[in-house]
Amino acid sequence: MGAGPPIHELHFDDAPSVESVPGPNSQRLIEKQQRIDSSAVAYPEDIPIALEDGKGATVRDADGNTFIDMFAGIGVMNVGHSNPYVLEAVHEQTDKYVHTVDFPTEARLELIEKLDEIAPGSLQGNNKVVFGGPTGSDAIEAAIKLAKYNTGGTGLVAFRGAYHGATSGAMSITGNKDFKGDYTPLLPDVTHAPYPNPVEMEKSPPEAVEHSLEEVKAIFDDPYGGFANPAGIFVEPIQGEGGVVAPPKGFLQGLRDIADDNDVPLVFDEIQSGLGRSGQWWASECYDVTPDVMTTAKALGGTGFPLSATIYDEELDTWGSGDHAGTYRGHVVGMRAGTRAIEYIQEHDLLAHARDLGGYIRDRLEEAAEANPRIVEVRGKGLFIGAEFVDEDGSPDDEAADELQDYCFEHGVLVWKAGRHGNVLRLLPPLVLTHELAETALDVIVEGIDEVTDQH
């Protein structure tokens, strides 16, 4: 079907259209889930919805309510729900075979070639790809193993505010103490440095960068710093769970220099920020800095299929046969979907669209911030956007963010939160979101901001 339909043809026509929520069918399914599913289930606690259908940047619940989706399954549905160009290949592949471990297939090799085509900087034409299991955590685990294997080191530098996943290695370099506190001990020899968040640090952007880089340099250079055997630096080029923190200019280049000076790999976690989310294929390209190793997942599966990969400089490809393994390294349906998703983004120029539409959304939020001191900062790149809320005393206001999420849900817009204190509105809509849908969603969001901040 060529490169698929244009983005304005992908969505439900009636979005948003909401009666009372949660409706009876959603409520019934949520109650059943509470009875028989794990107590670890969390998302319905924030948005009590049972989803039934999705098209483009819109979704429909079990009661027929239709919503504009502004968080895309936490950055998974970059080319939208049920994208027909992607699903055409999915149906074709599913009828043939699904699981191939790591035997060669056209689907596998096509995706590797496509990833090389969009690889950043010097990684293009100079990389290897190892596929992982279903989550971004698997890609992070592979990157940790690769760094240790190549350096012989054990020490990992990560950053405060970071989120890298829920498996043991990924959790070790994640910053959230509450999230991992019940599972210690994890990997030893992990040091967390400050990430340059000017709001959190109460510093200017250049001062925040200088402070962060000084701390990282000290980790490596201080003879009594306790960091004896380094293996790598792990960082999100834009922090996601940490509050959509796009670091000021100079930070990533500073890390590149430190990694080079100490002969350790620089690893960029692009799981949430990659595959077009920032308005570039990879957020690192916004800063013109190339990592040695890069992780990707989430949107890699094209239309929600679980797939992860670690892309790395071919000089690091020192593994022997079987030195990294995993059963689900051959999910060819997800691989076909991933290739089609990349093609769709290319053919419909969605990187430029993400930059333009993201600029519009940030402008709308910044206009709201000018009239409302409770929004302390609007930030992000492309369609990766955050707005941070504080109370009248200037302290983080998670209640306002919670109430805004509820208001948007009741008015047909799905949004999510982030930040160390849960006080950041986080928007990660599908890249196929149209300007018309964005206008409607921002009308709701801005009205919600006025209402919830007036109540506090």
Side-chain angles (χ1 to χ4, degrees):
M1 62 165 61
I7 65 173
H8 68 268
E9 295 182 6
L10 297 179
H11 321 279
F12 288 123
D13 293 333
D14 60 338
S17 176
V18 174
E19 300 294 332
S20 177
V21 289
N25 290 327
S26 285
Q27 190 62 49
R28 174 179 56 82
L29 291 169
I30 290 168
E31 290 173 355
K32 183 175 182 179
Q33 182 181 40
Q34 290 172 340
R35 290 196 305 271
I36 67 175
D37 206 340
S38 168
S39 59
V41 167
Y43 285 88
E45 294 177 1
D46 290 291
I47 301 180
I49 187 174
L51 294 169
E52 187 164 291
D53 202 357
K55 289 182 66 177
T58 59
V59 296
R60 188 166 285 159
D61 73 6
D63 297 282
N65 297 304
T66 310
F67 303 82
I68 301 173
D69 181 4
M70 296 293 284
F71 77 96
I74 311 298
V76 169
M77 312 303 298
N78 281 18
V79 297
H81 300 271
S82 304
N83 185 298
Y85 182 65
V86 177
L87 289 181
E88 178 189 53
V90 166
H91 296 312
E92 178 184 276
Q93 185 64 54
T94 304
D95 287 341
K96 291 181 178 180
Y97 50 84
V98 174
H99 176 68
T100 64
V101 198
D102 60 5
F103 290 106
T105 62
E106 292 290 346
R108 181 189 192 89
L109 301 180
E110 284 175 3
L111 181 54
I112 291 173
E113 290 176 336
K114 205 67 178 173
L115 288 170
D116 178 63
E117 183 181 320
I118 65 171
S122 59
L123 279 181
Q124 192 169 107
N126 182 43
N127 67 81
K128 296 290 184 178
V129 176
V130 61
F131 290 108
T135 73
S137 298
D138 296 290
I140 292 292
E141 298 289 347
I144 291 172
K145 290 167 65 177
L146 186 70
K148 290 186 173 185
Y149 194 95
N150 275 275
T151 63
T154 59
L156 306 175
V157 176
F159 291 87
R160 298 169 199 164
Y163 180 83
H164 295 287
T167 52
S168 289
M171 197 182 297
S172 299
I173 59 174
T174 289
N176 189 327
K177 293 189 291 186
D178 288 341
F179 178 68
K180 62 187 187 180
D182 290 330
Y183 306 108
T184 55
L186 298 168
L187 291 184
D189 214 6
V190 175
T191 300
H192 286 84
Y195 196 89
N197 182 340
V199 171
E200 193 80 24
M201 292 179 169
E202 298 183 347
K203 297 179 181 291
S204 70
E207 290 171 338
V209 169
E210 182 180 10
H211 175 69
S212 294
L213 293 178
E214 284 178 353
E215 290 287 331
V216 178
K217 288 177 183 176
I219 290 170
F220 284 93
D221 296 343
D222 185 346
Y224 279 77
F227 193 69
N229 198 12
I233 300 172
F234 286 71
V235 65
E236 296 161 276
I238 298 176
Q239 282 195 339
E241 302 297 325
V244 193
V245 183
K249 184 179 179 180
F251 174 63
L252 296 184
Q253 183 59 56
L255 294 183
R256 176 72 277 170
D257 295 340
I258 293 169
D260 290 341
D261 289 344
N262 290 277
D263 199 24
V264 297
L266 177 62
V267 182
F268 284 173
D269 180 341
E270 293 267 14
I271 290 163
Q272 190 167 145
S273 60
L275 288 163
R277 171 61 49 198
S278 68
Q280 302 290 345
W281 282 114
W282 311 102
S284 63
E285 294 178 283
C286 298
Y287 301 92
D288 196 26
V289 178
T290 303
D292 301 298
V293 184
M294 182 173 68
T295 59
T296 179
K298 287 190 181 291
L300 180 63
T303 186
F305 287 100
L307 183 65
S308 69
T310 305
I311 305 166
Y312 55 95
D313 189 300
E314 64 182 4
E315 290 187 4
L316 298 175
D317 194 39
T318 56
W319 273 327
S321 174
D323 281 347
H324 181 64
T327 301
Y328 287 100
R329 292 174 293 149
H331 189 351
V332 288
V333 176
M335 292 169 177
R336 287 291 304 277
T339 298
R340 280 291 182 99
I342 293 170
E343 290 173 351
Y344 190 87
I345 292 170
Q346 290 174 321
E347 292 297 320
H348 295 270
D349 201 12
L350 294 188
L351 300 184
H353 178 68
R355 294 192 296 271
D356 293 343
L357 193 59
Y360 164 76
I361 293 172
R362 287 193 302 277
D363 286 346
R364 289 287 306 271
L365 291 173
E366 285 168 357
E367 287 174 9
E370 288 175 4
N372 193 327
R374 301 285 297 284
I375 304 175
V376 69
E377 187 176 45
V378 175
R379 53 189 180 240
K381 304 280 187 182
L383 289 172
F384 198 10
I385 299 166
E388 184 164 353
F389 288 84
V390 294
D391 61 21
E392 292 179 349
D393 297 324
S395 299
D397 193 345
D398 60 320
E399 290 186 11
D402 286 339
E403 291 177 13
L404 177 59
Q405 186 178 58
D406 293 342
Y407 179 94
C408 290
F409 173 52
E410 292 164 3
H411 291 79
V413 177
L414 303 182
V415 302
W416 208 250
K417 300 169 298 181
R420 299 182 183 194
H421 310 287
N423 63 318
V424 177
L425 168 71
R426 175 173 41 163
L427 302 180
L428 315 94
L431 308 186
V432 299
L433 181 74
T434 63
H435 200 283
E436 181 181 9
L437 286 171
E439 284 187 22
T440 301
L442 266 293
D443 287 344
V444 170
I445 292 168
V446 170
E447 290 167 3
I449 289 170
D450 290 339
E451 178 156 323
V452 302
T453 55
D454 285 345
Q455 293 175 1
H456 286 261

